[in-house]
Amino acid sequence: NFDHFQILRNIGKGSFGKVCIVQKKDSGNLFAMKYVSRSVCIGRGALGGVLKEVELLASLEHPFLVNLWFSFQDEEDLFMVCDLLAGGDLRYHLQHQVEFSEASVGLLVCELGSALDYLQKQRVVHRDIKPDNILLDEEGHAHLTDFNIATRLPPDGLACSMSGTKPYMAPEVFMCALEEIAGYSYPVDWWSLGVVAYELRSGVRPFVVHSSTPLAEVKNVLNTQPHYPRHWSDHFVDLLSKLLNVHPGARISTLKELHLTKLLRGTDLERVLAKRTNPPFKPSKDHLNCDPSLELEEMIVETKPLHKKKKRLAKQRSVHRENSDQLHSQLDTQLLKEFLVYNRYKELKRKAMEAKESEWQQELDQAMANSHVSSPADRALSPISERTEQASGVSSTAGSTDGPVEPIPVPGAAGTAGRTPDGPIDYIDRTPSPKSSI
């Protein structure tokens, strides 16, 4: 819950949510905590998107996603604790006139393409790929975030709602909104990736589209050929032209297809996935790569600042403390039963235990398969056969020995008890000899 974390500073702000750096008190690990006001979510009809986002993130894990670690709630807010990416988002760097080289953009496209390929295998369409939703870590590796409008498609199903940010949306999304096609699928994310790649390299988007541009006009604009500067290499233009293909079926939409392009053909995908590559662009480590005014706004302007939450909630709860039943009933009505409470550490521990149990079961099954299970008749005859084998074994040994066979002394044996007329020992009688009555 909220008390397990120390609030450090605010680093981000959305339409109805904020992001701050937190430190887990028991381990000292740093995370990014995204929190959204439940009342604002309900008022704007956005609660369903937050609930779905948490459920989606709890089922996903990839090196180039911003992965969820914890989710919980209190009377005021819904919380999602995720990976901390201190390198800032790509929008921040574009606003600071960072010039991304072809090699830098190529690696970012490869990393994000790996994430999109994973999402496609999980039947997830992100639908909002843009510089604002791509975060860099300290080394410069890209991570995809914000699954608020993402959706999981049914097998062989299509999405049909007009969701996303207009300048980055694929042509088929607008065609679906104009009822020219039935729906769209995973290639829409790869189109958006192409728009982002173009913008990173040039500083401007390939198509002049704004949020107010009519749908029919947007469709016509997207069907025009974008301008590629002459100083761009043929290999880089080849990559962008295949990502910005207006036909979804001809567009790059898998990591395998991406790897076949001239620019990325020689890329070692295993090294990329393991983050063993060195990104050409590395964010500054001298300062936080975010707007510094966000922290000041949280301290001064915010009516319910996060750093005062503990005292604020304690005061509210003390009003009803005299009647504990009333307090519990109030908390029950305020907390959302649909909100998923998640702990990735516990989930990883559970999966590790399941894997170990599966391994044990396989070993047991293998041992059972290799063992010989005798029938009841075999078990009844086994003592006789064993004695026969023992007797024949001793006789053969005696026959093969050059010298005389010495008798085997048996401590505690009485005289010749337990010896057969032929000599071999059949059994040992340890019954004590009877004492004389005299």
Side-chain angles (χ1 to χ4, degrees):
N1 60 45
F2 183 78
D3 293 336
H4 291 110
F5 298 91
Q6 178 70 36
I7 310 300
L8 299 183
R9 66 157 297 160
N10 197 288
I11 58 171
K13 181 182 179 182
S15 55
F16 48 84
K18 295 184 179 181
V19 182
C20 61
I21 300 177
V22 297
Q23 184 176 38
K24 200 160 186 295
K25 294 178 180 179
D26 58 353
S27 64
N29 293 336
L30 296 177
F31 296 94
M33 177 187 282
K34 177 181 178 181
Y35 58 102
V36 294
S37 168
R38 188 176 50 192
S39 60
V40 174
C41 281
I42 295 174
R44 297 187 184 182
L47 183 60
V50 176
L51 299 179
K52 189 167 67 172
E53 180 180 10
V54 174
E55 289 183 6
L56 265 180
L57 288 175
S59 67
L60 302 174
E61 183 178 10
H62 192 270
F64 299 119
L65 297 181
V66 179
N67 297 293
L68 177 71
W69 286 92
F70 306 98
S71 63
F72 51 89
Q73 61 176 315
D74 61 21
E75 297 95 308
E76 294 179 344
D77 300 304
L78 307 175
F79 298 90
M80 288 173 276
V81 181
C82 306
D83 295 326
L84 174 63
L85 285 308
D89 61 57
L90 290 181
R91 177 67 65 202
Y92 171 84
H93 295 294
L94 283 171
Q95 290 173 344
H96 286 76
Q97 284 78 47
V98 172
E99 294 184 4
F100 291 90
S101 65
E102 290 186 1
S104 181
V105 175
L107 179 59
L108 291 174
V109 167
C110 196
E111 292 178 340
L112 294 169
S114 173
L116 292 182
D117 192 73
Y118 166 78
L119 290 178
Q120 184 168 336
K121 292 175 182 175
Q122 304 299 316
R123 305 200 322 272
V124 173
V125 189
H126 186 278
R127 300 199 289 190
D128 204 17
I129 309 292
K130 58 184 179 181
D132 315 65
N133 292 336
I134 299 169
L135 305 179
L136 302 182
D137 59 22
E138 290 184 344
E139 299 302 318
H141 297 289
H143 300 73
L144 189 58
T145 189
D146 198 346
F147 284 74
N148 190 258
I149 60 173
T151 187
R152 178 171 269 129
L153 299 180
D156 301 321
L158 296 173
C160 55
S161 65
M162 185 174 168
S163 302
T165 304
K166 262 190 178 180
Y168 300 91
M169 288 160 56
E172 58 265 35
V173 180
F174 297 103
M175 294 173 67
C176 181
L178 293 169
E179 298 184 351
E180 296 180 9
I181 59 173
Y184 57 88
S185 189
Y186 311 105
V188 299
D189 287 340
W190 294 84
W191 170 278
S192 304
L193 181 59
V195 177
V196 171
Y198 187 105
E199 186 176 7
L200 290 176
R201 185 71 184 99
S202 67
V204 296
R205 291 188 288 268
F207 306 101
V208 182
V209 176
H210 305 287
S211 58
S212 58
T213 307
L215 297 186
E217 184 179 336
V218 171
K219 194 188 83 168
N220 293 331
V221 169
L222 297 184
N223 277 284
T224 61
Q225 184 72 16
H227 169 69
Y228 298 112
R230 290 183 178 180
H231 64 276
W232 288 6
S233 71
D234 293 340
H235 289 184
F236 187 71
V237 173
D238 171 72
L239 171 66
L240 292 186
S241 63
K242 289 178 178 176
L243 286 170
L244 296 176
N245 193 312
V246 294
H247 304 290
R251 189 182 306 152
I252 289 176
S253 57
T254 66
L255 184 60
K256 183 178 180 181
E257 293 171 357
L258 187 67
H259 194 226
L260 292 175
T261 60
K262 298 174 183 177
L263 185 70
L264 301 175
R265 190 172 295 163
T267 305
D268 187 338
L269 295 182
E270 290 186 1
R271 285 180 58 84
V272 171
L273 195 61
K275 295 184 180 179
R276 294 202 301 268
T277 54
N278 293 316
F281 171 71
K282 287 183 171 53
S284 173
K285 296 183 181 180
D286 298 334
H287 59 271
L288 282 173
N289 295 280
C290 63
D291 186 354
S293 66
L294 293 170
E295 177 67 7
L296 192 62
E297 179 183 327
E298 175 70 14
M299 300 291 290
I300 299 176
V301 181
E302 179 60 49
T303 57
K304 292 183 177 181
L306 199 62
H307 65 280
K308 293 183 179 180
K309 174 184 283 287
K310 190 173 182 180
K311 290 183 179 179
R312 188 167 60 249
L313 291 183
K315 185 177 180 180
Q316 293 175 7
R317 291 166 183 171
S318 66
V319 176
H320 305 279
R321 189 157 291 167
E322 295 179 0
N323 189 339
S324 60
D325 293 336
Q326 183 180 353
L327 173 63
H328 290 308
S329 63
Q330 183 197 32
L331 291 177
D332 288 342
T333 55
Q334 289 181 335
L335 298 181
L336 295 171
K337 295 180 180 179
E338 303 91 345
F339 186 78
L340 175 65
V341 178
Y342 180 73
N343 184 328
R344 186 174 292 274
Y345 284 109
K346 290 185 178 180
E347 189 67 15
L348 291 174
K349 187 176 180 180
R350 182 188 65 81
K351 289 181 178 179
M353 181 58 69
E354 287 181 353
K356 180 60 71 175
E357 289 177 352
S358 177
E359 183 181 337
W360 289 340
Q361 186 63 45
Q362 289 176 4
E363 292 178 357
L364 178 60
D365 293 342
Q366 187 65 33
M368 292 291 290
N370 294 336
S371 64
H372 172 69
V373 182
S374 58
S375 64
D378 293 337
R379 288 195 293 271
L381 295 173
S382 60
I384 301 174
S385 60
E386 287 175 5
R387 287 197 295 269
T388 305
E389 291 174 1
Q390 290 174 359
S392 61
V394 174
S395 300
S396 61
T397 303
S400 62
T401 306
D402 296 335
V405 179
E406 296 292 333
I408 302 174
V410 182
T416 59
R419 301 185 65 85
T420 64
D422 296 331
I425 297 176
D426 188 20
Y427 67 95
I428 300 173
D429 185 1
R430 295 187 180 274
T431 306
S433 301
K435 296 182 180 180
S436 175
S437 59
I438 299 177

